[in-house]
Amino acid sequence: MGIKDIAEDFAALCKAGQHEEAGARYWAEEVVSREAMEGPMAEMRGVAAVREKSAWWFANHEVHSATTEGPFVHGDQFALRFEMDVTAKQTGQRLQMAEIGLYTVKDGKVVEERFFY
Amino acid sequence: MGIKDIAEDFAALCKAGQHEEAGARYWAEEVVSREAMEGPMAEMRGVAAVREKSAWWFANHEVHSATTEGPFVHGDQFALRFEMDVTAKQTGQRLQMAEIGLYTVKDGKVVEERFFY
């Protein structure tokens, strides 16, 4: 699969609310996930850690609505724009988030995901 | 200026329709501009070439409306999302474009801009 097909499939899964399936299908073993914040979530290395981070996030947030726009492709990278309306379960705080995910693909797998907000 | 201030100022200029002023203020001498296409515009190196490309684009497109969303920041990079409704003057073709610009900042200047669509 070329970058466009991978980007389209990854985006389609996110649009269907299947973010974890998108990861399961495309994360490389050595994937690195980077957040634009300090702390323990800033950089997770390896598919097991990234899967755990994702599971933690979905377990700790109630998602009221979510949209995914894209993909936007360039070379071996693609970008998606996410909008989410969520409540953090621990604090009860509801917030509307807009962010961009930038994915780098190598040998048909996502080797880095980097989130901008 | 930190990355957030630069990103905010760059975005504010784009939101005001002053894309070329944003470039004039923040492009580094050695800036590289990359488009997600084949051909002579795929990679322009150096501020003179990038300025020329930008001037060419604005001279050859009639912009009916344009919006900029962002900035979305991560580390030394920021992303902007552009929407434009334009007519290409040579062909008369009108098109609605959505794209993401990814900017890499070093020493207070943009050293790379990379466009995704």
Side-chain angles (χ1 to χ4, degrees):
Chain A
M1 286 171 85
I3 177 79
K4 285 207 173 176
D5 293 327
I6 292 166
E8 290 285 358
D9 192 42
F10 196 103
L13 288 166
C14 292
K15 286 174 190 182
Q18 298 181 292
H19 294 79
E20 292 182 288
E21 171 59 21
R25 200 176 292 182
Y26 291 108
W27 281 327
E29 276 299 320
E30 70 277 19
V31 61
V32 181
S33 180
R34 300 182 204 275
E35 296 285 342
M37 56 170 68
E38 308 276 311
M41 292 290 187
E43 183 180 295
M44 306 299 276
R45 292 187 162 269
V47 69
V50 176
R51 195 184 297 127
E52 196 175 336
K53 169 190 159 188
S54 177
W56 173 88
W57 194 92
F58 281 102
N60 284 275
H61 293 83
E62 183 186 352
V63 179
H64 305 293
S65 69
T67 60
T68 301
E69 184 197 16
F72 303 88
V73 180
H74 183 133
D76 61 357
Q77 296 184 309
F78 66 91
L80 300 175
R81 179 182 173 280
F82 301 109
E83 244 180 49
M84 284 191 174
D85 177 11
V86 301
T87 296
K89 291 183 185 174
Q90 292 180 338
T91 62
Q93 191 190 5
R94 184 163 178 167
L95 67 163
Q96 289 73 45
M97 306 156 51
E99 67 182 67
I100 286 175
L102 176 66
Y103 301 83
T104 303
V105 174
K106 189 179 163 189
D107 300 331
K109 297 283 188 175
V110 171
V111 291
E112 190 197 71
E113 55 177 30
R114 182 180 290 235
F115 297 100
F116 294 70
Y117 29 82
Chain B
M1 285 172 83
I3 178 78
K4 284 206 174 174
D5 293 327
I6 291 166
E8 290 285 357
D9 191 43
F10 196 103
L13 288 165
C14 292
K15 286 174 190 180
Q18 299 181 291
H19 294 80
E20 292 182 289
E21 171 59 21
R25 199 175 293 183
Y26 291 109
W27 281 327
E29 277 299 319
E30 71 276 20
V31 63
V32 181
S33 180
R34 299 182 205 275
E35 295 286 342
M37 57 169 67
E38 308 275 311
M41 292 289 187
E43 183 180 297
M44 306 300 275
R45 293 186 162 269
V47 69
V50 176
R51 195 183 298 127
E52 197 175 335
K53 168 189 158 191
S54 177
W56 172 89
W57 195 91
F58 282 101
N60 283 275
H61 293 82
E62 183 186 351
V63 179
H64 306 291
S65 68
T67 59
T68 301
E69 184 198 16
F72 302 89
V73 180
H74 183 134
D76 62 357
Q77 295 183 310
F78 67 91
L80 300 175
R81 178 182 174 281
F82 301 109
E83 244 180 49
M84 283 192 174
D85 177 11
V86 302
T87 297
K89 291 182 186 173
Q90 292 182 339
T91 63
Q93 192 189 5
R94 183 163 179 166
L95 68 163
Q96 288 73 45
M97 307 155 50
E99 67 181 67
I100 286 175
L102 177 65
Y103 301 84
T104 304
V105 174
K106 190 179 164 190
D107 300 331
K109 296 283 188 175
V110 171
V111 291
E112 190 197 71
E113 54 178 31
R114 182 180 289 235
F115 297 100
F116 294 69
Y117 30 81

